[in-house]
């Protein structure tokens, strides 16, 4: 999965996020990851791009907002 960084993120946090994202293959993986955190991180928003594409937004504990482009 490609990551597009739109802000400066400390290199240690980048590595953690890159490892996390590389292990997520489905939206279910993303939601399960968020629910396993303490406190749980729920999907914050879903932005409909068109009838097939949606952006799913969650906040990472490092304070970075993750946006998953889904089809």
């Amino acid at each position: 999965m490609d990551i597009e960084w739109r802000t400066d993120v400390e290199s240690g946090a980048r590595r953690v996020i890159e490892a996390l994202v590389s292990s997520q293959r489905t939206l279910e993986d993303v939601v399960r990851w968020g629910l396993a955190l303490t406190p749980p991180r729920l999907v914050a928003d879903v932005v409909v791009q068109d009838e097939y594409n949606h952006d799913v937004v969650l906040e990472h504990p490092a304070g970075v907002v993750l946006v998953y482009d889904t089809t």
Side-chain angles (χ1 to χ4, degrees):
M1 182 178 304
D2 295 327
I3 298 176
E4 182 178 326
W5 296 97
R6 296 208 173 178
T7 188
D8 289 328
V9 177
E10 188 270 324
S11 63
R14 271 186 188 242
R15 285 190 297 276
V16 168
I17 293 168
E18 288 167 349
L20 166 69
V21 170
S22 71
S23 71
Q24 296 171 332
R25 299 286 176 227
T26 66
L27 186 54
E28 179 182 2
D29 294 338
V30 174
V31 172
R32 287 184 183 273
W33 163 77
L35 291 174
L37 296 173
T38 304
R41 302 289 170 124
L42 303 176
V43 171
D45 199 5
V46 176
V47 181
V48 178
Q49 301 298 332
D50 59 35
E51 67 181 298
Y52 301 109
N53 298 296
H54 299 72
D55 290 346
V56 177
V57 182
L58 290 95
E59 185 179 342
H60 188 275
V64 176
V65 176
L66 303 176
V67 180
Y68 294 83
D69 178 24
T70 62
T71 301

